Amino acid sequence: AAQLQEAQTRRAATQLVADVTEALLGWDAFHLVLYSHLRADLYETVLAYDLIDGVRQEIGAIPFTPLIERAVREKDLLILRTDPEAESPPEYRYGNQRAAASLLLVLVQYHAEVLGVLTLESYSPNAYNADSLKTLRAIADQLGIVFARLQAQEDLQSKNIELASAYDETIEGWARALELRDTITHGHAQ
């Protein structure tokens, strides 16, 4: 938890979560998708991995699937498929194109605000259980706190830049006013 709290970017925090969840729960595929409750079409893959030919590989952006949408509506999901190939449409697969037999999907949130969906997938049947879901929930709660801190830092940095710009513009305005006064009075007003 301490390493996670020290993360300086969403990607670094997500990488720590990927490593910890792989060690604690195991997974064949991992992804975190940030989500905006304000615009359903606005989402971003922070990090996604899949096991391809026995090697964990980072993959690009993943589609915002109905399963992720379902997790946003229903909160936390433990899905154990009896026939993964039949139960997972090909258009919702990524990476190695295999269908997961076991899935965990949890919301990353801060207070009541949904920030994203964290997903672990295994190609093995019954790889996860209710305790796995509780463990992932606890990790996602910590990640939500980190993401909120990172957002607050970004907001503060942005406000500092705006303040510095406003200060510079004020100084430039005063300098122009003094130059104008000097031009009008031709150096006689002191």
Side-chain angles (χ1 to χ4, degrees):
Q3 280 184 315
L4 186 59
Q5 293 302 324
E6 294 172 6
Q8 295 301 308
T9 64
R10 285 177 186 82
R11 182 176 172 80
T14 304
Q15 183 62 61
L16 283 168
V17 168
D19 295 341
V20 167
T21 55
E22 184 176 34
L24 290 175
L25 302 169
W27 49 259
D28 295 317
F30 168 100
H31 57 85
L32 175 67
V33 174
L34 294 184
Y35 168 81
S36 171
H37 67 282
L38 300 174
R39 287 185 46 201
D41 63 332
L42 187 60
Y43 64 92
E44 171 192 355
T45 301
V46 176
L47 189 60
Y49 287 110
D50 201 353
L51 193 64
I52 301 173
D53 298 326
V55 178
R56 176 172 106 168
Q57 296 182 28
E58 186 172 344
I59 57 174
I62 61 161
F64 194 74
T65 66
L67 192 56
I68 295 173
E69 290 181 64
R70 181 177 156 203
V72 170
R73 284 191 316 273
E74 298 178 27
K75 194 172 178 183
D76 297 344
L77 299 175
L78 166 62
I79 299 171
L80 303 173
R81 295 175 171 154
T82 53
D83 186 0
E85 294 300 321
E87 296 175 50
S88 178
E91 62 269 20
Y92 301 140
R93 300 178 197 177
Y94 54 93
N96 71 10
Q97 298 298 309
R98 285 183 63 189
S102 305
L103 298 95
L104 293 172
L105 294 93
V106 297
L107 296 182
V108 175
Q109 51 192 13
Y110 184 69
H111 295 293
E113 183 182 358
V114 174
L115 305 174
V117 177
L118 176 60
T119 304
L120 303 184
E121 299 182 8
S122 175
Y123 302 125
S124 301
N126 301 310
Y128 305 122
N129 57 34
D131 288 338
S132 305
L133 190 61
K134 286 179 190 176
T135 299
L136 191 58
R137 159 69 16 238
I139 292 168
D141 287 344
Q142 291 300 310
L143 188 59
I145 292 167
V146 170
F147 279 13
R149 174 185 55 82
L150 291 170
Q151 186 62 52
Q153 288 173 332
E154 289 172 11
D155 293 347
L156 180 60
Q157 186 177 29
S158 175
K159 292 298 180 189
N160 282 340
I161 290 169
E162 287 177 26
L163 182 61
S165 177
Y167 178 78
D168 290 345
E169 289 173 11
T170 301
I171 296 299
E172 289 171 10
W174 278 106
R176 282 192 301 276
L178 288 173
E179 287 174 7
L180 181 60
R181 183 193 72 162
D182 197 43
T183 302
I184 293 172
T185 61
H186 302 287
H188 295 291
Q190 304 250 345

